[in-house]
């Protein structure tokens, strides 16, 4: 059986597209007035029962995760996607409880499924990979043995 790989340029473009979407989410959370998504997020968060200033926390998390998605390392993409899975789980829960129209309730679940797929695609073979940072040469860090280096590939 031959495995078909997605070209690197297509994967990179996909990650940049997702990062752009979450960057737009960051901008709209920090925007003081109405957005092209409707009323100001300060009002939306208050209507959902949250402190209106929580929009800044959510927006900042979206910005950091957007940056993590475009860093060309599996570890950072996994951390960004996993963090967004947690954030989007809260968003989906909020939208299920809220009585918004269906078109407003589609985005968060769709992005949750996409981020779950991104997290699984970038899942580390060894949890220690999340803590190790390879040098620019691409070789394993000097402090691990060659036996452990196999886990990093």
């Amino acid at each position: 059986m031959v495995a078909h790989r997605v070209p690197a340029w297509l994967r990179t473009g996909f990650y940049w597209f997702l990062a752009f979407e979450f960057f737009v989410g960051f901008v709209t959370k920090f925007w003081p007035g109405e957005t092209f998504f409707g009323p100001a997020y300060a009002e939306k968060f208050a209507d959902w029962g949250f402190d209106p200033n929580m929009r800044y926390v959510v927006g900042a998390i979206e910005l950091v995760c957007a940056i993590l998605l475009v860093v060309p390392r599996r570890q950072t993409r996994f951390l960004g996607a996993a963090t967004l899975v947690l954030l989007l789980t809260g968003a989906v829960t909020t939208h299920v409880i809220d009585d918004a129209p269906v078109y407003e309730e589609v985005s968060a679940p769709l992005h949750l499924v996409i981020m779950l797929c991104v997290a699984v695609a970038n899942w580390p073979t060894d949890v220690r990979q999340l803590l190790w940072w390879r040098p620019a040469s691409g070789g394993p860090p000097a402090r691990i043995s060659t036996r452990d280096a196999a886990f990093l590939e």
Side-chain angles (χ1 to χ4, degrees), residues 15-35:
Y15 290 130
W16 276 94
F17 176 74
L18 291 174
F20 175 74
E21 287 185 331
F22 286 102
F23 181 78
V24 169
F26 151 74
V27 170
T28 57
K29 303 289 186 308
F30 277 74
W31 197 260
E34 264 190 41
T35 66

Side-chain angles (χ1 to χ4, degrees), residues 33-49:
E34 264 190 41
T35 66
F36 49 88
F37 294 120
Y41 269 92
E43 295 174 25
K44 287 183 179 183
F45 273 74
D47 290 344
W48 294 328

Side-chain angles (χ1 to χ4, degrees), residues 7-75:
W9 65 268
L10 189 58
R11 281 184 308 212
T12 302
F14 180 65
Y15 290 130
W16 276 94
F17 176 74
L18 291 174
F20 175 74
E21 287 185 331
F22 286 102
F23 181 78
V24 169
F26 151 74
V27 170
T28 57
K29 303 289 186 308
F30 277 74
W31 197 260
E34 264 190 41
T35 66
F36 49 88
F37 294 120
Y41 269 92
E43 295 174 25
K44 287 183 179 183
F45 273 74
D47 290 344
W48 294 328
F50 299 110
D51 185 312
N53 292 322
M54 280 299 294
R55 68 190 172 114
Y56 296 121
V57 174
V58 172
I61 292 171
E62 287 179 340
L63 174 64
V64 169
C65 290
I67 292 168
L68 290 174
L69 286 175
V70 296
V71 173
R73 298 183 56 81
R74 290 186 71 183
Q75 294 98 327

Side-chain angles (χ1 to χ4, degrees), residues 46-142:
D47 290 344
W48 294 328
F50 299 110
D51 185 312
N53 292 322
M54 280 299 294
R55 68 190 172 114
Y56 296 121
V57 174
V58 172
I61 292 171
E62 287 179 340
L63 174 64
V64 169
C65 290
I67 292 168
L68 290 174
L69 286 175
V70 296
V71 173
R73 298 183 56 81
R74 290 186 71 183
Q75 294 98 327
T76 57
R77 287 180 176 162
F78 172 76
L79 289 173
T83 304
L84 283 170
V85 165
L86 296 174
L87 183 73
L88 288 167
T89 300
V92 168
T93 304
T94 298
H95 290 305
V96 165
I97 293 170
D98 183 39
D99 291 329
V102 172
Y103 71 90
E104 289 182 11
E105 295 182 0
V106 171
S107 179
L110 177 64
H111 282 88
L112 175 60
V113 170
I114 291 169
M115 285 300 113
L116 278 168
C117 293
V118 170
V120 168
N122 290 285
W123 195 276
T125 55
D126 184 4
V127 74
R128 294 177 293 176
Q129 285 181 326
L130 297 175
L131 305 175
W132 290 337
W133 194 262
R134 280 192 195 163
S137 67

